[in-house]
Amino acid sequence: MREEIGRLISLQNLDRELHESTAKLAAVTQGVDKLREETAAAAIEIERLTAEQTQAELARRQLERDLAEGEARIRNSRMRQSLIRNEKELQALAHEIETQKESNQRQEAELLQQMEAAEPRIARLRELGETLEKSRTELAAAEKEIAGRAEELKESMRKRRVERDLLAAQIDGTLRARYEMIFSRRGGLAVTLARGGTCQGCRMRLPPQIYNEIQKFQQIHACPNCQRILYFEPAVET
Ligand SMILES: [Zn+2]
């Protein structure tokens, strides 16, 4: 009985270590996953803004060409002004120049608007470029760092699992099933000390007869309150 309890305690220790390692592994990979997401997000935004910027530049160049043409047309009209003598034709030409001027002004305003709109986009692109470069460097370093640590953790977990399964095979099947059920339902504590007549898992006072039997290692008992498997540790004589 005493040995069976000893095996259960060792099993519990191994299971707790395995739990801890699993959590550690998750924490290690989580950091890298986050960096990976940030890097991808920056790359996507850069792509979107770059496409937007390319479109805007094409539109701006078209606008500049239109404006230059408009200005050329005005110069042309002014040259024709000096050649025309007919009053009616002169008036028509003056009107044409006015209309063209208004059109040029509208295009100028539009051009300025586009240039203003491009400014924050260009700034954001520069900022994103720096962010991306930085997070790529960080990601590469983190990946390199965790590759080793994750592999180490996995390897030690593999070994521990083999050890655990060997040990588990030595424990009575019913008791083991009971242990595993309680371990998963009671926060990783299935085997606990009975001390001073009290279950150390839930702090409940145990019926004296049960406590007595536990002390004598006569039978494996579970706490009537929390169902944890109880064991007794005789005081170490010094
Ligand atoms: Zn209890």
Side-chain angles (χ1 to χ4, degrees), residues 192 199 201-204 223 225-228 230:
T192 189
C199 164
C202 71
R203 304 273 157 193
M204 201 197 75
C223 167
N225 183 47
C226 69
Q227 319 301 329
R228 290 188 176 99
L230 295 164

Side-chain angles (χ1 to χ4, degrees), residues 40-86:
I44 286 170
E45 204 185 343
I46 285 178
E47 204 178 309
R48 185 178 61 79
L49 285 176
T50 305
E52 231 180 87
Q53 183 61 18
T54 308
Q55 275 309 106
E57 262 166 33
L58 284 175
R60 185 173 58 90
R61 264 180 235 137
Q62 183 59 49
L63 212 51
E64 280 170 350
R65 272 196 297 273
D66 291 350
L67 196 55
E69 272 170 31
E71 276 159 2
R73 264 199 292 275
I74 289 178
R75 277 197 302 277
N76 239 332
S77 302
R78 285 210 168 112
M79 279 202 300
R80 269 159 60 213
Q81 263 179 331
S82 56
L83 304 171
I84 294 171
R85 295 286 170 260
N86 180 309

Side-chain angles (χ1 to χ4, degrees), residues 164-179:
R164 188 235 177 250
D165 290 345
L166 277 174
L167 186 62
Q170 293 172 41
I171 298 168
D172 168 74
T174 315
L175 184 62
R176 196 176 72 213
R178 186 191 171 84
Y179 157 83

Side-chain angles (χ1 to χ4, degrees), residues 93-103:
L93 198 55
H95 180 68
E96 206 183 293
I97 290 172
E98 262 330 291
T99 312
Q100 187 63 54
K101 265 189 189 167
E102 277 165 24
S103 160

